[in-house]
Amino acid sequence: MNATITERTTEAAQGWVLYDGECSLCTGAVARFAPMLRRHHFNLAPLQTPWVRQQIGLNPDKPLTEMKLLTADGRIYGGADALVQIGQRIWWAWPLFAVAQIPGAMILFHAVYRWIAANRNCLNGSCRIPSQKKWLDWFPLAVLPAAAVAMQPQFVPWVFMCVLALAVFF
């Protein structure tokens, strides 16, 4: 085990949950979940902490786009993978880990995590995630309903209505 980790953990610690200390969504989640995480032997630290940046090899010039989990044995997980690993270590959250074992589930977990991370509500510009092209946000609204209309002859009217409503929704 790395000496840096040993100095900062207790004997029973499962690892460190590392978060963006400048993001209001991240710090709010930490405030909400810190007591539960500590009960389950997870320590918490902002990704901006110098020892954290050094330990997990973060480039100070790159924006922080995901939380990390640094396990007691030195493994590093990021984003959705970190949440699944935390779920595996907490008995009542274990179903999250179990669902992640279903083929294709992690693809969905990664997509949801990336969407939340990219769209997190950052007050006063505190989150330094580069903005994406907004025209791409409208692409599904143009394509999905058009695809549903093109497939209309394949459906009975009530199924077509449901497909069109779902296309507009997604």
Side-chain angles (χ1 to χ4, degrees):
M1 185 182 302
N2 192 318
T4 307
I5 298 171
T6 308
E7 291 171 6
R8 292 174 174 82
T9 59
T10 61
E11 192 173 308
Q14 295 198 56
W16 286 86
V17 175
L18 308 170
Y19 61 95
D20 184 352
E22 295 178 355
C23 171
S24 60
L25 178 68
C26 303
T27 55
V30 166
R32 193 172 310 112
F33 294 110
M36 181 269 307
L37 289 168
R38 287 190 180 111
R39 266 195 317 276
H40 289 90
H41 308 288
F42 286 100
N43 296 314
L44 299 146
L47 285 162
Q48 289 84 356
T49 308
W51 75 265
V52 170
R53 285 192 174 271
Q54 181 183 12
Q55 185 67 37
I56 63 176
L58 285 178
N59 183 345
D61 299 330
K62 292 206 173 190
L64 303 173
T65 58
E66 65 180 9
M67 57 92 62
K68 304 279 187 188
L69 173 66
L70 174 62
T71 62
D73 61 3
R75 287 181 285 173
I76 301 168
Y77 299 94
D81 295 318
L83 293 174
V84 168
Q85 290 300 314
I86 292 168
Q88 180 184 14
R89 292 166 169 84
I90 299 174
W91 70 269
W92 55 264
W94 194 83
L96 176 67
F97 175 75
V99 169
Q101 304 311 304
I102 298 170
M106 281 308 294
I107 294 169
L108 178 63
F109 285 174
H110 285 287
V112 169
Y113 187 92
R114 279 192 307 271
W115 184 85
I116 291 171
N119 295 292
R120 58 188 170 167
N121 182 21
C122 299
L123 301 174
N124 300 325
S126 63
C127 296
R128 295 181 181 93
I129 297 176
S131 62
Q132 299 174 357
K133 295 180 180 174
K134 294 297 179 185
W135 66 270
L136 287 175
D137 293 345
W138 292 92
F139 186 72
L141 184 59
V143 172
L144 293 177
V149 169
M151 294 175 33
Q152 181 181 5
Q154 308 294 328
F155 302 121
V156 293
W158 69 270
V159 172
F160 169 70
M161 179 196 67
C162 291
V163 169
L164 184 60
L166 287 172
V168 171
F169 174 77
F170 286 112

